[in-house]
Amino acid sequence: MKNYSFILILVSIALGISCGVLFPTQMIAISWIGQLFINLLKLIVLPLIFCALVSAITSIGGMKKLSSIGFYTLSYVLFSVSVAVIIGLVLLNIFKPGVGIPPSLILANAAPIDLKPIPFSSYMLSLFPPNIVAAAARYEIMPIVFFSIVFAIACLSVGKTAHPVIDFFVGLRDALIKMITWLMYLTPIGLFSLLGTAVAEAAIENLLLQSLGGMVLFIFIFLFGLLLQITWQLIVAVIITRKSPKYLISSSSSALLTAFATSSSMATLPVTMMVAKHQQVNEDVARFVLPLATTINLAGTAMYEAVSALFFCQILGFDLSIPAQIGVFITAILAGMGATGIPEGGLITMVMVLRSVNVPTSAIGLLLPFDRILDRFRTMTNVWGDLVCATTVDYLQKKENKKKRRRST
Ligand code: ASP
């Protein structure tokens, strides 16, 4: 990202926040501009995921290389999501923010809220829908990812006759990437409107102040946990790339700020891909790893699910034995990997984690007033994790290639 556009983004954020405070009604009246920005990003995401995966897999070529990149990606995701959950659990055990909060806060909220868990069988069926176009129209990403991977592998195994098909998707991908570069010029306007609207809404509804009370410590602990998660990944990225933390963060800033403004790692994907390109991650690796990581690497979300479950247990005075916490650990990892990178997507899979410790799902109501702001921070953490994942996989892949070359000479 060139310097001037970085400064422009910072100016637009400062302007957005101040206008949100000073002119809340006017900012809400122009909130459609931010929505338009999100729509344009989302418009590109689905075809981009498909074309990026197909072109990356077919150009990576060879099942061996592909499976090694896939293996590195999945290992990284599992590791980072597990570390996130462990950080959350450790912090909650040390600080115990829920102890002393009256259980009536959860029990009084007991009106059922409409966030039903998805049964395992329906989840599996939804991964393989009978109609891929209908799934795309419903914005279901996982089936698209599966379909693209299998489709690309099929193209590879068909060989010569599939070449025009591959060329078509490569051309389509390049055109989509061109559209993203144009869209990036609108980023400052999009961020101005999105952040301004968020600040204006908070100012008008006075939401944050209304029920802050006992939640303050919980919120701080969660944000601190995210900071730790970002920091260890930053250290990994610094060691691997030998670049300064300042460079890594400032060159990622457009993706991080878009994540913060849109609360959606999926909508941010086009920007994340541009950033990875600027950071010189091998393009084929980035095009394979990023769509996949955006779909399953929701470490910030997994941490949120774990800390919330434990927080509620502490409020309700439930047993927090090691087996119970292991249950939270496992379900939070699954919930983080199964959540969708859309605004508040994590709330849906949180039901699963709460069920594992018998906390009533209505407890989520306690989080709702803060969720929109916390969502922004966890989305930022998710996107940062995706970028570090791509950097790490690229590094491991290059190292493996070097080893092979050395062996063959
Ligand atoms: N909004 C998050 C994301 O897009 C998901 C969540 O935690 O709710 O990554």
Side-chain angles (χ1 to χ4, degrees), residues 242-295:
R242 303 217 172 98
K243 301 224 165 89
S244 72
K246 196 173 150 229
Y247 165 81
L248 287 169
I249 292 180
S250 68
S251 61
S252 309
S253 59
S254 52
L256 299 179
L257 292 170
T258 309
F260 189 82
T262 59
S263 295
S264 168
S265 36
M266 204 48 85
T268 310
L269 179 62
V271 192
T272 317
M273 290 181 94
M274 291 302 266
V275 167
K277 192 175 161 197
H278 285 296
Q279 292 181 341
Q280 278 148 16
V281 174
N282 175 295
E283 288 194 36
D284 286 330
V285 172
R287 282 172 197 149
F288 176 72
V289 174
L290 287 174
L292 199 60
T294 308
T295 318

Side-chain angles (χ1 to χ4, degrees), residues 28-50:
I28 288 182
I30 58 158
S31 63
W32 61 271
I33 296 179
Q35 199 50 49
L36 189 74
F37 180 64
I38 296 188
N39 284 1
L40 290 172
L41 284 170
K42 284 171 86 175
L43 189 69
I44 297 176
V45 164
L46 279 180
L48 180 68
I49 289 181
F50 187 75

Side-chain angles (χ1 to χ4, degrees), residues 352-369:
M352 182 173 125
V353 188
L354 296 188
R355 285 274 160 89
S356 76
V357 276
N358 287 325
V359 169
T361 42
S362 57
I364 295 176
L366 195 60
L367 297 175
L368 288 183

Side-chain angles (χ1 to χ4, degrees), residues 263-265 298 301 340-347 375 378-379 382:
S263 295
S264 168
S265 36
L298 288 90
T301 306
T340 315
I342 54 171
E344 309 199 308
L347 288 185
D375 191 12
R378 52 182 200 262
T379 308
N382 291 344

